[in-house]
Amino acid sequence: MDSAATDFFSSTTKLRPELEALRPQLARFVSQATAKGQKVALVTSGGTTVPLELNTVRFIDNFSTGTRGALCTEEFLRADYAVVLLHRKGSNFPFVTDLVKRLHESPYELVSQRDQSEKQPSSGLPDLQERLLAVGFTTLFEYLFLLRECCQSLASAGPGALIMLAAAVSDFYVPEKEMSAEKIQSRSLDGLTIQLRNVPKMLGALRLWAPEAFVVSFKLETNPNILLAKAAGSLQKYGVDAVCSNVLQTIRDLVIIVQRDPAISDGINISSGSLTGEETEPIEVSGVKFKPVERGSSGVDAPLVKVLVEMHDLRLQKPQQHQQQQRSLDQGSESAAPATAKRQRLMGSGEQEAH
Amino acid sequence: MDSAATDFFSSTTKLRPELEALRPQLARFVSQATAKGQKVALVTSGGTTVPLELNTVRFIDNFSTGTRGALCTEEFLRADYAVVLLHRKGSNFPFVTDLVKRLHESPYELVSQRDQSEKQPSSGLPDLQERLLAVGFTTLFEYLFLLRECCQSLASAGPGALIMLAAAVSDFYVPEKEMSAEKIQSRSLDGLTIQLRNVPKMLGALRLWAPEAFVVSFKLETNPNILLAKAAGSLQKYGVDAVCSNVLQTIRDLVIIVQRDPAISDGINISSGSLTGEETEPIEVSGVKFKPVERGSSGVDAPLVKVLVEMHDLRLQKPQQHQQQQRSLDQGSESAAPATAKRQRLMGSGEQEAH
């Protein structure tokens, strides 16, 4: 797992100069926030694209409007966090979600109403520039490089960092060196076969980039029978602190937060190993606890962030429990190498240690 | 070619009720415009998606911001056309292109400036509702069904109809019956192979849906060496009236309009048959004429539409030439069936004759 992640970063060449420019900006943003005693959230948002050609005309995309990330960012700002928003360019954005919604659903009305004053006040957040740092991505490559960069910067906020992975990240991609240079031609009637590779799982690496952060991942499925098994799998394999689980069909109404249950000493058990996605009965899971969050008057995002902030605060009050959990994960991991060596390998040479 | 198009429509089942609702709306819009002596343009705009799952999480998309279609729609409205805009939902839209640009490029500024009055006046087009009918699509399936519906409605405007196909339409897709029902799972590390089929070419069918319309198609390539050969191929195979050719790298600066050259009696000749897309020398073409349109003070869209309107007007003054061209296309087509029979086959049973 670790070597796949390392390979991914070393075999993708395009993004280095952009990252150099971003690094001091991120460092300054995080240090200003921590100096003021603010917690710092990284929210990822929107879908990543997988280009099929180097000169890209066609790409695979993941469904995500970016609305959850945008609204959760607003809530974290209201809860006095400083927020780094790693968002798909052009997807939904905090404080303009109504505008984007109108563009999608009734652009015609948007045109007719343009000469009227906008009704919604800008934010009531005069210090937005110091509190929100927006970093845009389009492709999977951009996303993963920027994610690493953001996480490594957030590491300096220690346990005061919260990472919410709400972006819809591709599971499959075409590596740079296997990509067609020009637009693929539609000759004859033979169709087209696309051979995609698995995207390396980065959740494990992320724990090394920002070891003390409170990590919240998301799981979106269309088949509710496998949702909790998939969420439990993320807790088991990557040691994330909480998984927000959604079914596509009710994504605006219900989120189930799944966490490891420390009261059950056996750990997590999932009754079925490999999942096809077409399961017709719910897959049973033990060793986890659930917290369903239902939509309130203005959606599910405000109550969701409220619960996550409570969880984060609880962890800040009880850091011992987390350290124990981390140790047991390190012991149980597939690699025999000590955690520090693994960490260095993942970050590549010449880069600053994350912690 | 025709049977592939017919099969496409008969094997896709989802969209019938939506089309029933749209049909009278389109008919009313076109008849109101023709009653006032207005020409009617259909502008298609934005990229189509190809879902990989019925409950769609992943899809293939085609790069297009929708800006060309949005700006050309504005120009056709200024040139006193009534416009049906068949656009990708959420892509760029007439008279709000600056807003969408800011959302993509500097969303942060958009938030900061929200409480100020918008500076751009709404349009100076008080009768916009009667002049612009916006029809939204997301998937390739929606696009092609709606395209057929729009073209058949435009047929009643006779030669006063202009069809500008600026949408970036997928060449490859997964037919409904071959699609995975649920989100495809990323098991093991085997990657994923996607088998795509060719999308039937609809340009031939389109000539039957709206036989007298002035049809302008677009060709976007990344390799300039094959651009004119591809454009000439569209003129030769489908009898479109003009092909606007773009290279991705200069899409905002230069469009080359390619037309059949009636002065050359031999017809169109292209020096190479099958193209790989990686050609390193320009492919030679004869029997066509070119008109390069370069960007003016506000982009290339206004001068482009100006030229197309002049071409359309010229055709309205010289209808004989067009009829001759159509006859020669019918004679040269691969099917031996007379044009009327072909037309009925393509429109399906129970639907109104397009002409």
Side-chain angles (χ1 to χ4, degrees):
Chain A
M1 205 57 84
D2 290 3
S3 73
T6 313
D7 287 352
F8 177 89
F9 287 113
S10 62
S11 68
T12 306
T13 55
K14 278 192 188 169
L15 305 161
R16 297 283 147 84
E18 283 168 65
L19 293 177
E20 299 292 331
L22 183 64
R23 197 168 294 162
Q25 214 184 337
L26 275 166
R28 198 165 49 241
F29 182 82
V30 175
S31 73
Q32 275 173 358
T34 50
K36 280 185 268 182
Q38 284 168 340
K39 290 173 282 181
V40 185
L42 167 65
V43 178
T44 73
S45 171
T48 64
T49 70
V50 166
L52 300 181
E53 300 126 340
L54 285 176
N55 273 324
T56 310
V57 175
R58 303 191 187 88
F59 53 89
I60 300 180
D61 204 344
N62 273 251
F63 172 76
S64 171
T65 60
T67 306
R68 172 128 307 147
L71 293 175
C72 287
T73 296
E74 293 184 17
E75 294 305 322
F76 279 116
L77 289 168
R78 288 188 188 111
D80 206 34
Y81 280 68
V83 183
V84 178
L85 175 64
L86 181 55
H87 70 108
R88 164 76 172 269
K89 282 178 190 164
S91 75
N92 221 327
F93 200 83
F95 307 109
V96 289
T97 53
D98 60 322
L99 203 69
V100 175
K101 191 168 182 237
R102 278 192 289 162
L103 178 67
H104 276 255
E105 293 175 6
S106 50
Y108 185 83
E109 283 171 34
L110 199 61
V111 177
S112 327
Q113 291 160 10
R114 274 213 81 179
D115 50 357
Q116 296 172 23
S117 240
E118 295 285 341
K119 275 159 209 125
Q120 183 179 316
S122 79
S123 64
L125 285 165
D127 61 342
L128 198 60
Q129 201 136 18
E130 292 168 24
R131 298 276 310 287
L132 174 63
L133 178 62
V135 179
F137 67 86
T138 304
T139 69
L140 171 75
F141 302 106
E142 291 165 356
Y143 172 78
L144 289 177
F145 273 84
L146 292 169
L147 178 67
R148 181 174 68 165
E149 207 59 45
C150 291
C151 288
Q152 288 174 348
S153 297
L154 249 74
S156 67
L162 179 149
I163 299 176
M164 176 192 249
L165 301 162
V169 183
S170 317
D171 294 310
F172 305 104
Y173 80 121
V174 184
E176 228 183 52
K177 60 179 187 294
E178 297 175 18
M179 229 181 270
S180 163
E182 306 293 350
K183 181 182 174 187
I184 300 165
Q185 295 297 306
S186 59
R187 288 165 285 168
S188 72
L189 295 171
D190 300 342
L192 178 69
T193 304
I194 305 175
Q195 185 61 55
L196 301 167
R197 310 283 172 191
N198 286 64
V199 174
K201 297 287 179 197
M202 294 290 171
L203 275 175
L206 191 143
R207 291 243 63 120
L208 305 173
W209 297 330
E212 295 177 284
F214 186 80
V215 178
V216 182
S217 68
F218 276 73
K219 203 43 108 175
L220 171 68
E221 295 294 335
T222 57
N223 179 355
N225 292 324
I226 65 168
L227 183 64
L228 297 180
K230 299 279 291 183
S234 289
L235 293 170
Q236 195 176 40
K237 275 184 273 182
Y238 310 114
V240 298
D241 296 287
V243 181
C244 299
S245 312
N246 296 279
V247 173
L248 185 63
Q249 297 83 333
T250 57
I251 195 166
R252 296 272 159 259
D253 303 313
L254 177 67
V255 176
I256 300 172
I257 304 179
V258 187
Q259 288 189 286
R260 198 174 271 272
D261 188 347
I264 298 178
S265 57
D266 283 357
I268 295 171
N269 273 298
I270 305 166
S271 67
S272 171
S274 179
L275 299 172
T276 66
E278 310 276 341
E279 281 73 8
T280 53
E281 297 285 332
I283 306 298
E284 279 176 36
V285 170
S286 66
V288 297
K289 53 183 185 176
F290 312 123
K291 190 173 181 71
V293 179
E294 290 180 43
R295 68 173 291 130
S297 56
S298 66
V300 74
D301 307 281
L304 174 64
V305 171
K306 186 166 174 285
V307 173
L308 293 174
V309 169
E310 284 165 8
M311 287 176 177
H312 188 200
D313 286 343
L314 196 68
R315 233 282 296 285
L316 285 167
Q317 291 156 20
K318 293 185 188 173
Q320 302 82 358
Q321 194 180 316
H322 170 66
Q323 280 161 13
Q324 265 170 11
Q325 209 181 69
Q326 280 300 97
R327 261 200 301 280
S328 79
L329 274 166
D330 283 344
Q331 283 159 10
S333 77
E334 57 199 60
S335 161
T340 320
K342 269 167 60 189
R343 195 172 302 168
Q344 278 170 347
R345 207 165 61 240
L346 272 158
M347 297 201 313
S349 59
E351 288 181 63
Q352 210 190 329
E353 175 82 17
H355 190 178
Chain B
M1 205 57 83
D2 291 1
S3 73
T6 314
D7 286 353
F8 177 89
F9 287 113
S10 62
S11 68
T12 306
T13 56
K14 278 191 188 170
L15 306 161
R16 297 284 147 84
E18 285 168 64
L19 293 176
E20 299 292 332
L22 182 66
R23 197 168 295 162
Q25 214 184 336
L26 275 166
R28 196 165 53 241
F29 182 82
V30 175
S31 73
Q32 274 172 358
T34 51
K36 279 185 269 180
Q38 284 167 341
K39 290 174 283 183
V40 185
L42 167 65
V43 177
T44 73
S45 171
T48 64
T49 70
V50 166
L52 300 180
E53 300 125 340
L54 286 176
N55 273 323
T56 310
V57 174
R58 302 191 187 87
F59 53 89
I60 299 179
D61 204 342
N62 274 252
F63 172 75
S64 171
T65 60
T67 306
R68 172 127 306 147
L71 293 175
C72 287
T73 296
E74 292 184 18
E75 294 305 322
F76 280 117
L77 289 168
R78 289 190 186 110
D80 206 35
Y81 281 68
V83 183
V84 178
L85 174 63
L86 181 56
H87 70 109
R88 165 75 172 269
K89 283 179 191 163
S91 77
N92 222 328
F93 200 81
F95 306 109
V96 290
T97 54
D98 60 321
L99 201 70
V100 174
K101 192 168 180 238
R102 277 192 288 162
L103 178 67
H104 277 255
E105 293 175 9
S106 50
Y108 186 83
E109 283 172 33
L110 198 61
V111 177
S112 327
Q113 290 160 10
R114 275 214 78 179
D115 50 358
Q116 295 173 21
S117 242
E118 295 285 342
K119 276 160 210 126
Q120 182 179 316
S122 79
S123 64
L125 284 166
D127 60 341
L128 198 60
Q129 202 136 18
E130 291 170 22
R131 299 275 309 287
L132 174 63
L133 178 62
V135 179
F137 67 84
T138 303
T139 69
L140 171 75
F141 302 106
E142 290 166 356
Y143 172 78
L144 289 177
F145 273 85
L146 291 169
L147 178 67
R148 180 173 68 165
E149 206 61 44
C150 291
C151 288
Q152 289 173 346
S153 298
L154 249 73
S156 67
L162 179 150
I163 299 176
M164 177 192 250
L165 301 163
V169 183
S170 317
D171 293 310
F172 306 104
Y173 79 122
V174 184
E176 226 182 53
K177 61 179 187 295
E178 296 176 19
M179 228 182 270
S180 163
E182 306 293 350
K183 182 182 175 187
I184 300 165
Q185 295 297 306
S186 59
R187 286 165 286 169
S188 72
L189 294 172
D190 300 343
L192 178 70
T193 304
I194 305 176
Q195 185 59 57
L196 300 166
R197 311 283 173 191
N198 285 65
V199 174
K201 296 288 178 196
M202 294 290 171
L203 275 175
L206 191 144
R207 291 242 64 118
L208 305 173
W209 297 331
E212 295 177 284
F214 186 79
V215 178
V216 182
S217 69
F218 276 72
K219 201 47 102 176
L220 171 68
E221 294 294 336
T222 58
N223 179 355
N225 292 324
I226 66 169
L227 183 64
L228 296 180
K230 299 279 291 183
S234 289
L235 294 170
Q236 194 178 40
K237 275 183 272 183
Y238 310 114
V240 298
D241 296 287
V243 181
C244 299
S245 312
N246 296 280
V247 173
L248 184 63
Q249 296 83 333
T250 57
I251 194 166
R252 296 272 158 261
D253 303 313
L254 177 67
V255 176
I256 300 171
I257 304 179
V258 187
Q259 288 189 287
R260 196 174 273 272
D261 187 347
I264 297 178
S265 57
D266 284 357
I268 295 170
N269 273 297
I270 305 167
S271 68
S272 171
S274 179
L275 299 173
T276 66
E278 311 275 342
E279 281 74 8
T280 53
E281 296 287 331
I283 305 299
E284 278 176 36
V285 170
S286 66
V288 297
K289 53 183 185 176
F290 312 124
K291 192 174 180 70
V293 181
E294 288 179 43
R295 67 174 291 131
S297 55
S298 67
V300 74
D301 307 280
L304 175 64
V305 170
K306 187 167 172 285
V307 174
L308 293 174
V309 169
E310 285 166 8
M311 288 177 176
H312 188 200
D313 285 344
L314 196 70
R315 235 282 296 287
L316 285 167
Q317 290 154 22
K318 295 185 187 173
Q320 303 82 355
Q321 194 180 316
H322 171 65
Q323 280 161 12
Q324 266 170 10
Q325 207 181 69
Q326 280 300 98
R327 262 200 300 281
S328 81
L329 274 167
D330 284 344
Q331 283 159 9
S333 77
E334 59 200 61
S335 161
T340 321
K342 268 168 59 190
R343 194 171 304 167
Q344 278 170 346
R345 205 162 66 237
L346 272 160
M347 297 201 313
S349 58
E351 288 180 63
Q352 211 188 329
E353 176 84 14
H355 191 178

